[in-house]
Amino acid sequence: KRKNPATSGNLNHDICDFLSELANYEKNVNRNIHKYNAYRKAASAIASHSTRLTSGEEARKLDGVGQKISDKINEFLSTGKLQKLEKIHSDDTSTAVTLLTRVSGIGPAKAKELVNDGIRSIEDLESHKEKLNHHQLIGLKYFNDFEVKIPRSEIEEIEAVLVKKISDLDSDYIVTICGSYRRGKSESGDIDALITHPSFTSDVKAKTKSHLLKDVTKCLEECGLICDTLSHGDVKFMGACRLSEKHPVRRLDIRLTPQDQYWCSILYFTGSDMFNKEMRTHALQKGYTLNEYSLRPLGSTGVPGEPVFLASEKDIFEYIDYPYKGPDERSV
Ligand code: DCP
Ligand code: MG
Ligand code: MN
């Protein structure tokens, strides 16, 4: 039986760490999403392995670990380091690109562009703010705060404020904190709030209901929880919040979902992203297409039909014949 990494220690965390670092390098520096996914898949399989790996060959037996990664594990186990990583660390351009992508709103392409312009540090960014858009400026302003993980207890407090303020506004709203918090993690990178309201269904244009999200963000701004906005659309808010002056500023994402798409949204927004990927692949094998909005059967020509009616998250698993996993079993 697989151990749940959300609740138990990972005996191979050093191996997972170097695989994650290689994954980020592939994403941010080489912009190779395939390799990024391959390293992450291997890291996640190894993270849920219940014993300490003693060789690459042993790791090779796990789903997602191929020969190249197996060789790297052998090198790491015998020398305590990795030539490939040593080389990456000694490369100034890679180091600078990796650093700049840690700023919220700066992606791999923008980071490369900045490095090409001679910008290599956070201090350099501070003196070239004209190169940054609104989101990136807020990312820079809270660079240190956003890097700090959010303890579960603090999200519980933020959840209480969100639920109280939003239900005072209109008791018909339903608020659910998703993301790693819903998966039971003891700390999270940000707060992912999903809201729905009975007056918003998929047959009405999001534009005509965008006040539902605006009213919420306005109210949370007025009570001092939201302190900055990165972006604000009809159904998606990205911003920053803080419980008090004494707390770090935290990243807050809020999504407004039509009521009839609630179960697919909650499944999507709970993740993990790799779990979603796996589940969508499984759905396709069973003749369904699954996304954050709906589950639809694929006809013989591959054209999606009407969304199936769902009354729970469990229904989605049942339709595609996928063994049910509770949120705390979805961190892989
Ligand atoms: N998501 C996804 N694919 C992506 C990004 C996100 O499926 N490329 C979904 C699954 C995630 C959820 O959205 O769990 C929230 O995204 P986050 O980036 O906030 O990730 P987590 O909440 O899982 O982790 P963290 O603690 O880092 O916030
Ligand atoms: Mg999150
Ligand atoms: Mn998020």
Side-chain angles (χ1 to χ4, degrees):
K1 193 176 183 317
R2 271 185 157 187
K3 271 198 182 180
N4 178 357
T7 53
S8 68
N10 169 4
L11 294 173
N12 299 293
H13 73 91
D14 51 348
I15 294 173
C16 294
D17 284 353
F18 87 67
L19 292 173
S20 301
E21 205 185 333
L22 288 169
N24 288 332
Y25 168 76
E26 292 299 343
K27 179 176 78 165
N28 297 323
V29 182
N30 292 342
R31 282 178 268 172
N32 186 330
I33 289 300
H34 290 295
K35 287 193 179 178
Y36 164 73
N37 285 329
Y39 280 125
R40 290 222 319 159
K41 189 168 181 202
S44 127
I46 291 169
S48 49
H49 190 65
S50 55
T51 60
R52 172 68 181 169
L53 290 171
T54 55
S55 73
E57 289 66 33
E58 191 187 344
R60 183 83 173 81
K61 299 195 183 100
L62 303 173
D63 188 29
V65 181
Q67 192 56 51
K68 283 186 218 150
I69 288 176
S70 160
D71 291 345
K72 286 190 174 65
I73 291 170
N74 274 333
E75 183 192 341
F76 181 81
L77 288 175
S78 61
T79 68
K81 55 187 185 186
L82 222 56
Q83 295 262 289
K84 187 178 168 77
L85 268 184
E86 300 290 303
K87 216 175 134 198
I88 293 166
H89 290 160
S90 67
D91 181 71
D92 291 346
T93 300
S94 298
T95 314
V97 169
T98 303
L99 170 68
L100 298 184
T101 56
R102 281 162 51 193
V103 176
S104 181
I106 300 187
K110 177 72 184 181
K112 187 79 193 293
E113 192 186 302
L114 289 164
V115 171
N116 285 341
D117 290 351
I119 291 167
R120 306 185 156 262
S121 66
I122 299 302
E123 294 70 47
D124 290 346
L125 274 182
E126 298 280 2
S127 50
H128 289 280
K129 289 188 176 158
E130 74 283 355
K131 292 185 188 289
L132 304 180
N133 65 24
H134 174 75
H135 182 159
Q136 294 157 348
L137 285 170
I138 306 291
L140 177 62
K141 175 171 159 193
Y142 299 127
F143 180 74
N144 290 317
D145 279 9
F146 285 174
E147 295 245 308
V148 184
K149 290 275 188 185
I150 318 168
R152 190 168 183 81
S153 60
E154 189 177 323
I155 303 191
E156 284 166 356
E157 287 185 64
I158 293 171
E159 180 180 33
V161 176
L162 283 173
V163 169
K164 173 81 173 73
K165 293 290 169 189
I166 298 173
S167 79
D168 283 353
L169 194 64
D170 180 340
S171 61
D172 283 339
Y173 280 112
I174 295 169
V175 186
T176 314
I177 312 289
C178 299
S180 49
Y181 174 77
R182 186 160 182 260
R183 299 199 308 276
K185 291 282 187 179
S186 59
E187 49 181 34
S188 297
D190 69 354
I191 300 140
D192 302 296
L194 188 69
I195 58 173
T196 189
H197 190 276
S199 72
F200 180 37
T201 48
S202 59
D203 55 346
V204 303
K205 280 209 159 58
K207 263 253 159 330
T208 69
K209 288 290 168 185
S210 62
H211 63 89
L212 286 172
L213 182 57
K214 280 201 201 87
D215 292 347
V216 164
T217 54
K218 186 164 170 270
C219 149
L220 297 175
E221 243 172 67
E222 281 166 5
C223 76
L225 189 75
I226 289 180
C227 55
D228 268 295
T229 299
L230 299 168
S231 63
H232 200 320
D234 293 334
V235 295
K236 191 176 162 193
F237 165 88
M238 291 173 76
C241 72
R242 77 187 329 168
L243 207 42
S244 80
E245 293 289 313
K246 292 193 192 79
H247 291 83
V249 173
R250 309 301 197 177
R251 275 276 295 107
L252 172 66
D253 286 335
I254 309 177
R255 277 168 177 262
L256 169 69
T257 179
Q259 206 181 35
D260 52 307
Q261 297 180 345
Y262 181 69
W263 299 115
C264 285
S265 289
I266 213 171
L267 178 74
Y268 163 80
F269 214 25
T270 299
S272 70
D273 57 349
M274 279 202 293
F275 174 80
N276 289 346
K277 218 190 261 285
E278 267 183 43
M279 192 158 168
R280 287 171 182 200
T281 305
H282 182 90
L284 285 174
Q285 287 161 357
K286 294 284 173 178
Y288 286 88
T289 173
L290 172 66
N291 60 25
E292 59 189 292
Y293 312 111
S294 63
L295 177 67
R296 290 173 296 164
L298 291 168
S300 51
T301 54
V303 179
E306 285 301 303
V308 305
F309 175 80
L310 300 162
S312 68
E313 239 184 340
K314 250 195 181 116
D315 276 359
I316 308 171
F317 290 79
E318 275 173 23
Y319 262 105
I320 64 168
D321 203 19
Y322 194 75
Y324 180 73
K325 285 186 162 66
D328 65 342
E329 298 172 295
R330 300 180 201 161
S331 276
V332 285

